[in-house]
């Protein structure tokens, strides 16, 4: 079991789950979610890690929303 391969499989499984859970009928919403999930800079994943920091904070006013629609 190579950690880099397992990390990629886990990442793909999480992305598949989220895309199935939020199955948008409008293609621009579906594409926006995919861009957010897969973006290496501002997306959900940072390298082989999932970026879920605690405590959750409200986004600063004027900050762009990472999910472009």
């Amino acid at each position: 079991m190579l950690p880099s391969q397992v990390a990629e499989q886990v990442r793909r499984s999480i992305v598949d789950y989220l895309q199935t859970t939020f199955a948008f009928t409008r293609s621009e919403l579906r594409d926006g979610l995919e861009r957010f999930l897969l973006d290496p800079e501002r997306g959900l994943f940072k390298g082989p890690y999932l970026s879920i920091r605690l405590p959750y904070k409200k986004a600063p006013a004027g900050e762009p929303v990472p999910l472009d629609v």
Side-chain angles (χ1 to χ4, degrees):
M1 229 188 220
L2 297 173
S4 61
Q5 291 177 348
V6 172
E8 178 58 29
Q9 291 171 351
V10 169
R11 184 192 66 77
R12 189 70 239 167
S13 295
I14 292 171
V15 169
D16 289 344
Y17 171 77
L18 292 173
Q19 287 175 328
T20 303
T21 301
F22 301 102
F24 296 112
T25 55
R26 291 178 46 198
S27 63
E28 55 270 1
L29 291 175
R30 186 174 45 250
D31 295 342
L33 176 63
E34 185 170 351
R35 280 193 308 272
F36 168 69
L37 293 174
L38 301 178
D39 188 304
E41 296 296 319
R42 298 173 52 209
L44 185 63
F45 298 94
K46 308 294 184 203
Y49 304 102
L50 183 65
S51 179
I52 303 177
R53 295 184 200 108
L54 293 176
Y56 298 108
K57 296 187 266 182
K58 190 172 184 177
E63 185 72 22
V65 177
L67 182 57
D68 296 327
V69 179

